Amino acid sequence: MEVCDRKQRMKKDGIKFNSMKIRTMITVVFVAIAVAATGYSYHLMQRRVPDMHLIFLLVAGISVVMLIALVIWTLSASNKFLSLAKMLRRCYLIFIALGIGAFIILQILIISSAHTEEADVDVLIVLGAGLRNNEPSLILRGRLDAAIMYMEHRAGVPVIVSGGLGQGVAITEAEAMFHYLRARGIDESLIWKEGLSTNTYENLMFSRTIMEENGIDVDNAKVAVVSNEFHLFRARMIARNAGFEAVGVAAETPSLSLRVLYSFREAFALANEILF
């Protein structure tokens, strides 16, 4: 009887050992993939690929969350580490709950600013959103159309088109936006080009320089920042950090699926802006 019990225990221990070995191998493979993906996104971020810093943070964050889950899963295969695995699992679930709560709060902030604010402004700033075949992308056309509508009742108000040279295109976003607005009847003397920026902070800081060069008292001026509704809360936050009194002009995102996708990404970008 004792021999049978011993054999059964040895069999169970062998199964658990094999299970832990398999789980450890899976974890190691995931670590290798996660390191490669994070390293590659970091490399692209260093090459100043647009928005790659957000993708890098997203990849790194997901990798860490998944890695912790795999470590807990691996430890739970052994009786020796079972109590540790249970404690880590509780902490992990609390961490996930806090993360979900923070995500919901960030979405509430994003939604709260997803509208156009009517105001008398001194300058409009249209934030770049990429080109396709040297023409404004669908999202960027939406921003430009929103700027045109906003300018209809504000004769003589200049507009700064802000965006630098992206990969795979021959002209800057500012140049493409300039041609788009001029073709739709906007006086080209009212279109000021800022063609050096690569992100929202640079959009606004370099636009500040353009305003100063054109004799505008930036410290006492009010600007309208034109962007998509999902982006306005962060854009206005960055504008305040750049020293602007700013209102938002919301451009409608072309489709619901795109709005959901960008709103999801925007939550991580906003968290990055708040924390760093």
Side-chain angles (χ1 to χ4, degrees):
M1 187 69 177
E2 291 181 3
V3 174
C4 291
D5 290 342
R6 191 180 302 116
K7 287 182 177 179
Q8 288 180 350
R9 285 196 301 269
M10 290 177 64
K11 186 177 180 181
K12 289 180 179 179
D13 290 342
I15 291 172
K16 288 185 177 181
F17 175 78
N18 289 333
S19 176
M20 188 170 186
K21 187 177 180 180
I22 292 171
R23 295 185 186 193
T24 302
M25 291 175 60
I26 292 173
T27 302
V28 169
V29 170
F30 173 82
V31 169
I33 294 172
V35 169
T38 304
Y40 183 66
S41 60
Y42 180 80
H43 169 70
L44 293 178
M45 181 181 71
Q46 294 298 104
R47 292 184 61 186
R48 299 178 69 85
V49 174
D51 293 330
M52 188 51 65
H53 65 293
L54 300 179
I55 296 175
F56 166 73
L57 290 172
L58 185 60
V59 170
I62 292 174
S63 296
V64 170
V65 170
M66 291 296 295
L67 178 59
I68 294 173
L70 285 171
V71 168
I72 295 171
W73 178 60
T74 301
L75 291 175
S76 65
S78 170
N79 288 331
K80 184 178 179 180
F81 300 110
L82 192 57
S83 59
L84 175 61
K86 288 180 179 179
M87 183 189 70
L88 290 176
R89 186 182 294 111
R90 293 191 191 99
C91 295
Y92 180 75
L93 292 175
I94 292 172
F95 174 78
I96 294 297
L98 291 174
I100 293 173
F103 180 82
I104 292 171
I105 291 172
L106 292 172
Q107 287 296 332
I108 291 172
L109 293 176
I110 292 169
I111 293 170
S112 70
S113 292
H115 60 273
T116 295
E117 300 170 276
E118 295 294 337
D120 292 327
V121 297
D122 299 286
V123 179
L124 275 76
I125 302 176
V126 183
L127 305 181
L131 304 181
R132 297 292 181 273
N133 299 319
N134 297 318
E135 296 289 337
S137 65
L138 188 60
I139 286 181
L140 184 51
R141 291 203 301 270
R143 296 182 184 184
L144 292 166
D145 291 338
I148 292 170
M149 291 179 61
Y150 203 77
M151 294 174 71
E152 286 180 353
H153 307 292
R154 294 168 176 81
V157 174
V159 55
I160 299 176
V161 287
S162 180
L165 185 66
Q167 288 192 333
V169 293
I171 60 174
T172 64
E173 291 181 40
E175 189 69 29
M177 288 190 278
F178 172 84
H179 292 304
Y180 186 94
L181 292 177
R182 186 177 63 178
R184 284 154 182 79
I186 303 299
D187 185 346
E188 64 180 72
S189 66
L190 295 176
I191 309 172
W192 301 344
K193 292 182 285 187
E194 183 289 295
L196 299 175
S197 55
T198 60
N199 56 50
T200 302
Y201 180 75
E202 291 181 356
N203 284 146
L204 293 162
M205 288 303 298
F206 295 165
S207 292
R208 183 184 177 94
T209 301
I210 298 289
M211 291 170 62
E212 291 170 346
E213 291 174 350
N214 283 275
I216 293 179
D217 182 4
V218 179
D219 293 330
N220 296 304
K222 179 177 286 188
V223 303
V225 179
V226 185
S227 190
N228 289 78
E229 63 278 270
F230 60 80
H231 185 229
L232 280 181
F233 183 88
R234 183 162 62 96
R236 289 183 59 204
M237 176 188 293
I238 296 173
R240 287 195 296 269
N241 293 338
F244 287 119
E245 180 185 356
V247 298
V249 177
E252 186 176 351
T253 305
S255 69
L256 178 60
S257 59
L258 279 177
R259 182 170 180 178
V260 171
L261 175 63
Y262 280 109
S263 294
F264 181 84
R265 191 196 71 169
E266 185 64 19
F268 292 93
L270 181 54
N272 177 60
E273 192 67 39
I274 293 171
L275 295 174
F276 303 104

